[in-house]
Amino acid sequence: QRQKEDPGSNPGWGENDDDEVVFSQEKPDEDELKSSAEAAEEETRVRRRMEVEETREERRRAEAEADRLERLEAERLEEAERLRILEEESESARLDAEAAELARLKAETEERDRLARLAQQEEEDRLARLAQREEEDRVARLQQEEEDRVARIKEEE
């Protein structure tokens, strides 16, 4: 294959006697092939190391993210538990306040009932004294009438 070309621009190209550049069909030597293969192997090793490092870095990032999400979930659960405890304490305090109010109302009701029973007993006692006085007055009047009648009878005799 003949082409006009700069002989120094490509290895494997050379000049013939006619000042034309031709491609040489010479085989590269073994050292060049070995060196090229070693370079390719080294490039593959470097690429694999980089891939391994990238995989490790991705794994570290994923683990860090998983740890972060786990911590966030643990914090969320702790906060939910704190809120539940606060709600229970609040509910307990509310129930305690209601119980105290009911106890106060019960005590007031019992005191009113006691005062009402006392007032009723006093009224019954007053009525009983009044009835007794009326009975005593009636008996005294009957006795007086009897005495007056006996005295009139004695006077008439």
Side-chain angles (χ1 to χ4, degrees), residues 80-138:
E81 180 64 13
R82 278 193 296 274
L83 286 174
R84 185 190 64 75
I85 289 169
L86 285 174
E87 286 174 355
E88 283 180 2
E89 288 172 353
S90 175
E91 181 67 10
S92 178
R94 186 186 65 76
L95 291 174
D96 289 347
E98 283 182 11
E101 178 65 11
L102 289 174
R104 184 186 66 77
L105 291 173
K106 180 180 178 188
E108 285 178 5
T109 301
E110 288 173 351
E111 181 63 14
R112 269 196 306 269
D113 290 349
R114 185 186 71 76
L115 292 174
R117 282 192 305 275
L118 184 61
Q120 183 179 359
Q121 185 62 46
E122 287 175 355
E123 180 64 15
E124 288 174 1
D125 290 349
R126 185 185 72 78
L127 291 175
R129 283 191 307 273
L130 183 62
Q132 184 178 358
R133 224 177 296 134
E134 287 176 354
E135 181 63 21
E136 288 171 356
D137 288 348
R138 188 182 70 76

Side-chain angles (χ1 to χ4, degrees), residues 7-46:
S9 66
N10 277 323
W13 289 79
E15 283 184 46
N16 65 5
D17 294 337
D18 298 332
D19 261 353
E20 293 180 334
V21 177
V22 294
F23 182 71
S24 165
Q25 295 295 325
E26 297 174 17
K27 292 183 177 179
D29 69 358
E30 226 175 274
D31 286 342
E32 283 182 27
L33 288 175
K34 188 176 182 183
S35 175
S36 180
E38 287 174 355
E41 287 175 11
E42 180 63 25
E43 183 180 326
T44 301
R45 280 193 300 275
V46 167

Side-chain angles (χ1 to χ4, degrees), residues 35-91:
S35 175
S36 180
E38 287 174 355
E41 287 175 11
E42 180 63 25
E43 183 180 326
T44 301
R45 280 193 300 275
V46 167
R47 189 174 61 248
R48 284 186 183 151
R49 259 194 311 255
M50 289 176 62
E51 288 173 355
V52 166
E53 280 300 315
E54 287 175 3
T55 302
R56 285 181 185 157
E57 183 60 31
E58 287 174 5
R59 189 176 300 131
R60 278 193 293 270
R61 276 192 231 116
E63 288 172 356
E65 180 66 11
D67 288 346
R68 186 182 74 80
L69 291 174
E70 199 171 309
R71 281 191 311 278
L72 287 174
E73 180 64 12
E75 289 172 6
R76 186 192 67 76
L77 290 174
E78 286 174 9
E79 184 63 22
E81 180 64 13
R82 278 193 296 274
L83 286 174
R84 185 190 64 75
I85 289 169
L86 285 174
E87 286 174 355
E88 283 180 2
E89 288 172 353
S90 175
E91 181 67 10

